[in-house]
Amino acid sequence: MSKSSVLSTPLWRRALQRFTASESDLAAQEAQEDAVRHGGTPCRAIPNRTRACVCGTLRSVTLRPRGGVQALEAELFDGTGSVSLVWLGRRSIAGVEPGRRVKARGLVADDDGQRVIFNPGYELLCSESP
């Protein structure tokens, strides 16, 4: 969701949508707005084999081997979809944990139908207080 589409929607309509939306829909919409605010590209809009910046929340972080090498894999969700972030040769990274907000940059590849960024540059984002 772009800034212009959020701002062009009348205030009363946005309030009505928030009142009638499910909790998961509200969380997804909030994640989309947060990603746009931090300069991220929506996950659903990223073409394959392009460099991109994505922002979102880590849903899961797992350690699994890839090609005989240990790899730390995290699923980043931004409200529109998800991207797997894979750090090859890493067993852990301080601060990379489920629930953490992250901004990541790298080349987006396709791995069996799932978007993935290998060895992304990343930035841990702080939680905003309400």
Side-chain angles (χ1 to χ4, degrees):
M1 179 177 292
S2 68
K3 287 182 184 179
S4 62
S5 65
V6 170
L7 297 176
S8 64
T9 306
L11 183 60
W12 66 269
R13 181 165 287 165
R14 282 186 281 162
L16 181 62
Q17 288 171 342
R18 291 187 76 79
F19 182 70
T20 59
S22 69
E23 197 169 312
S24 62
D25 289 342
L26 290 175
Q29 182 178 1
E30 188 174 308
Q32 290 173 37
E33 291 169 1
D34 187 50
V36 169
R37 187 172 38 253
H38 284 95
T41 302
C43 290
R44 71 166 180 242
I46 302 172
N48 195 22
R49 294 186 294 186
T50 59
R51 296 193 71 70
C53 174
V54 292
C55 299
T57 303
L58 298 180
R59 281 186 164 173
S60 65
V61 178
T62 57
L63 180 62
R64 68 178 67 171
R66 279 189 170 261
V69 178
Q70 290 292 330
L72 185 66
E73 187 171 324
E75 180 191 6
L76 182 138
F77 177 73
D78 75 347
T80 66
S82 63
V83 171
S84 290
L85 306 176
V86 179
W87 289 273
L88 298 170
R90 301 294 299 264
R91 296 179 64 81
S92 65
I93 298 174
V96 174
E97 55 196 28
R100 186 68 188 245
R101 291 181 33 241
V102 174
K103 181 177 186 177
R105 290 183 173 86
L107 183 67
V108 179
D110 182 72
D111 185 31
D112 292 330
Q114 170 66 33
R115 290 189 173 111
V116 62
I117 301 175
F118 289 99
N119 296 323
Y122 66 96
E123 196 177 319
L124 302 175
L125 301 174
C126 63
S127 298
E128 297 176 20
S129 55

